Amino acid sequence: MSLHPVVERVTERIRERSAESRRAYLARIEAARLKGTARARLSCGNLAHGFAASGEDKDALKRQAKPNLGIVTAYNDMLSAHQPFATYPELIRMAARNAGGTAQVAGGVPAMCDGVTQGRTGMELSLWSRDTIAQATAIALSHDMFDAALMLGVCDKIVPGMLMGALAFGHLPVIFVPAGPMPSGLPNKEKAAVRQRYAEGKATREELLAAESASYHAPGTCTFYGTANSNQMLMEVMGLHLPGAAFVNPGTALRDALTVAATEQALRITALGPDWRPVGHVVDEKAIVNAMVGLAATGGSTNHAIHLVAIARAAGLRIDWGDLDELSRATPLLARVYPNGQADVNHFHAAGGLGFVIRELLEAGLLHGDIKCVHGGDLSRQALEPRLEGTRLVWHEPPRASGDLDVLRPVARPFDAEGGLRLLTGRLGRAVVKVSAVAPEHRRITAPARVFEDQDALLAAFRAGRLEGDFVAVVRGQGPRANGMPELHKLTPTLGLLQDRGQRVALLTDGRMSGASGKVLAAIHLVPEAVAGGPIAKLREGDLVTIDAEAATLEVAVPEAEWAARPPAPMDVSGNQFGVGRELFAVFRAAAGNAEEGACALFGSQGP
């Protein structure tokens, strides 16, 4: 199948736009390669420090005859998704020795949980954790002891941050090694119903906690299709996983076998051998386009409208929301996984999963098949399914037919002709909307603005009975420069309840929603943000606002002369500066680019 013309056009546009920055990035990778293997450049004192505690690997590290893998881990035992990583380093070391190499834990990165901090002050550090993780990954790899690296991370900001940090060492091969989703618990529909009843005052806290505990109940990733599981999809379509590694449950023999295989493959693709596959070559404009197509085809997290921009920039590539919008409109929606449907990722995986999706998109010409995957082949091999035959790991072709057409469909019979993400533009700026979970009748609204300076003010208005009739909830002062752009997922049950009562409601914000953005129309990530003088700061209570996801517009019905003369409301962010460590991240807030630039504090005015 020839490449789809939209995929071809967007890829070429990114290539042209990024020519200078990508050329400079690749030159840095080549310069690093020409210096030779890293440990060979270390002095005796440097090297002795690097292997002093290496036990039985000390002799191999001293002789520098075998490839050495650096492990960067996001392990902690609070996060269900990262708790399984406790046993990975010892398994990786054993697998490396058996395959003729060595492995060392190079360092750890912080791994905060958006599920724990959701609606709390700590969520104001969530986005900055991504940039901190990128820095921590770079610090771990800065010791120059490694010929390749394995990244142990799964969740929201962790995978994007690790990849951004790894791309600063673009000459090193890097394989991402996931832990997989927890087994299915309480169905997501039942959990959401209890949340909504609690918001309405019809369920007790004890009932809510029981429902949440039955849903989030075991080691592994949360099973809805939010940012964490969207991360795993991205790693597959970008060729940074072994094929089919994303959604194998933790604690299984197959999961261990995939970790061993990732270790063995990392040893094969170093610069010491004939098949050097550095991460800076794997992540090129084709891989980034694949990521955007995969996001659209599966109804993935809106958070990646930010993260993919930052990842691309770390590789010397420049993308914007126009690219994402154009690709999404050309990509059919193939999956319905909660919150875009009732199934969870285990059901999606059982129905054919990412192997089925990748093969369907390849055959439709919607993915670049000729990317340089870490497994040693092209993207067609990424569609293979791993299985154990006895103790032997083998890969098979994915099923030709979906195992459940309510969850997964072929390109010829999609859930929708286009993907789940759209760009809105107009007098109020540029925003992203996720429509894959929004019913067609709720995709357009014209209603008076109800203006709030934070999500707690909106919830207080609801409890006081002041949210009557149709309205657009405007929650501003939530951008990266204001308070770190926290997710506003706490609003979802309340707005969903009002919609179910028959009110027409929507959200407009310069903040983020959760990767599990739901059934209420939400125009999010609005740029420019309020504290930067964006038009959202001019909105007043009662202004008639139109959010139209079908026409891709974002307007306000105020006469032009009045709008031009209206000053922006002052934004008081003094309450966001201290507490829960926020004072330590003032430099991040001050340096952050806008959401369409990746909301990143690391690149400065020029960037990579």
Side-chain angles (χ1 to χ4, degrees), residues 57 60 66-68 93 95-103 267:
D57 292 328
K66 300 178 179 180
N68 185 38
R93 276 191 284 268
R97 289 171 193 142
N98 291 342
T102 55
L267 295 171

Side-chain angles (χ1 to χ4, degrees), residues 349-416:
H349 186 63
L354 289 174
F356 182 92
V357 169
I358 290 170
R359 191 198 58 220
E360 285 289 312
L361 293 173
L362 278 172
E363 291 182 355
L366 287 162
L367 289 175
H368 289 282
D370 57 345
I371 64 171
K372 194 171 187 175
C373 302
V374 296
H375 53 69
D378 62 14
L379 194 64
S380 64
R381 282 187 56 192
Q382 199 75 38
L384 299 178
E385 288 189 346
R387 298 180 197 168
L388 279 179
E389 294 182 355
T391 58
R392 182 167 161 262
L393 179 63
V394 296
W395 275 271
H396 293 270
E397 290 290 332
R400 290 306 309 180
S402 166
D404 187 341
L405 289 172
D406 290 331
V407 179
L408 183 63
R409 291 191 181 178
V411 167
R413 295 181 58 193
F415 291 103
D416 201 323

